[in-house]
Amino acid sequence: MILAVDTSGRTASCAVAADGVLLGYRMLYTQRAHSQILLPMAKQLLAETGHTVQDVDVFAAANGPGSYTGLRIGISAMQALGFAGGKQCAGISSLEGLAWNLCGRSGVLCACLAARKNLCYCAFFESDGIAVRRLTEDQVLSAEEIAEQIAAYQTQVMVIGDGLSILREYAPADYLEAPMHLRHQSACGIAMAAMRQEPVQPENLTVSYLQAVKIG
């Protein structure tokens, strides 16, 4: 059983999955601090699925890029639960989690999160309609550079994430936009990715910051 959380952006979400079945999911687009709502949300979701924290085998969290404060909250919460229960953890790229939201669509996916000004955190993936594989590493790119990479694939690319607003403003291009209900970071994507990743001990769960610094 996996308890997954994503606190890398303005949404806070948690998901419970076991044996390839999504048992429960909750997401809130919130102005409140993630620290106020994350653990109560997770514990309530577990209770509603008939489980407790003790039943969880792996605690998974988005580990970046994204909001520094949000990422620390999610990682720290999953670490604490892992330590308390003697269980393992998994850290998943926020961009990879986004891509897994669209694993049912075959084709090239561009996971894109707003960084600052015209910059985005970005990575490209490909889905066969069942699973997602990575095409590029997580990067900080300008909207113009992302548009160039989209064009280079010479196929219809679907973009997912709040970086869409930056692409629209700075570098309109020929791409598809992910539907509203799949566009934001989701603990469901984190859970699906965690099912395919070797878990680690809680002390090895760390935040992977990708600095939004670009010169020239």
Side-chain angles (χ1 to χ4, degrees):
M1 179 176 289
I2 294 175
L3 172 63
V5 300
D6 192 315
T7 54
S8 60
R10 291 187 177 180
T11 59
S13 62
C14 59
V16 179
D19 301 321
V21 177
L22 179 65
L23 302 180
Y25 170 63
R26 183 162 294 171
M27 185 272 280
L28 184 64
Y29 193 94
T30 178
Q31 299 297 324
R32 297 172 60 193
H34 291 326
S35 58
Q36 294 178 297
I37 63 174
L38 181 62
L39 285 178
M41 178 190 292
K43 290 180 179 179
Q44 184 176 359
L45 183 61
L46 282 167
E48 290 172 351
T49 62
H51 297 282
T52 67
V53 171
Q54 287 72 33
D55 296 324
V56 176
D57 299 299
V58 177
F59 295 95
N63 67 353
S67 160
Y68 287 9
T69 301
L71 290 169
R72 286 197 298 269
I73 289 169
I75 290 290
S76 296
M78 294 302 98
Q79 270 187 324
L81 293 176
F83 278 125
K87 303 295 180 66
Q88 292 183 303
C89 297
I92 305 297
S93 160
S94 311
L95 296 171
E96 184 174 348
L98 268 176
W100 274 98
N101 286 0
L102 295 176
C103 64
R105 179 187 187 275
S106 297
V108 178
L109 309 172
C110 174
C112 188
L113 294 174
R116 61 176 176 81
K117 296 184 179 179
N118 71 325
L119 300 179
C120 294
Y121 302 113
C122 177
F124 286 83
F125 301 83
E126 186 172 29
S127 172
D128 61 5
I130 299 173
V132 168
R133 71 179 183 92
R134 181 180 285 275
L135 297 177
T136 70
E137 294 302 311
D138 295 354
Q139 306 172 77
V140 179
L141 298 174
S142 69
E144 294 80 6
E145 288 171 324
I146 295 171
E148 289 175 2
Q149 289 200 22
I150 289 174
Y153 282 103
Q154 297 184 332
T155 187
Q156 194 76 70
V157 175
M158 178 166 280
V159 180
I160 179 172
D162 63 8
L164 274 166
S165 60
I166 292 180
L167 286 180
R168 290 193 207 107
E169 180 178 357
Y170 288 96
D174 182 21
Y175 54 78
L176 298 174
E177 296 190 6
M180 178 180 66
H181 66 297
L182 297 175
R183 189 171 298 173
H184 295 292
Q185 294 100 306
S186 165
C188 292
I190 300 300
M192 286 189 284
M195 290 176 187
R196 294 160 175 82
Q197 178 173 300
E198 193 69 27
V200 299
Q201 296 304 313
E203 62 268 24
N204 295 322
L205 184 63
T206 58
V207 178
S208 178
Y209 294 126
L210 192 62
Q211 297 294 329
V213 176
K214 203 171 183 68
I215 301 174

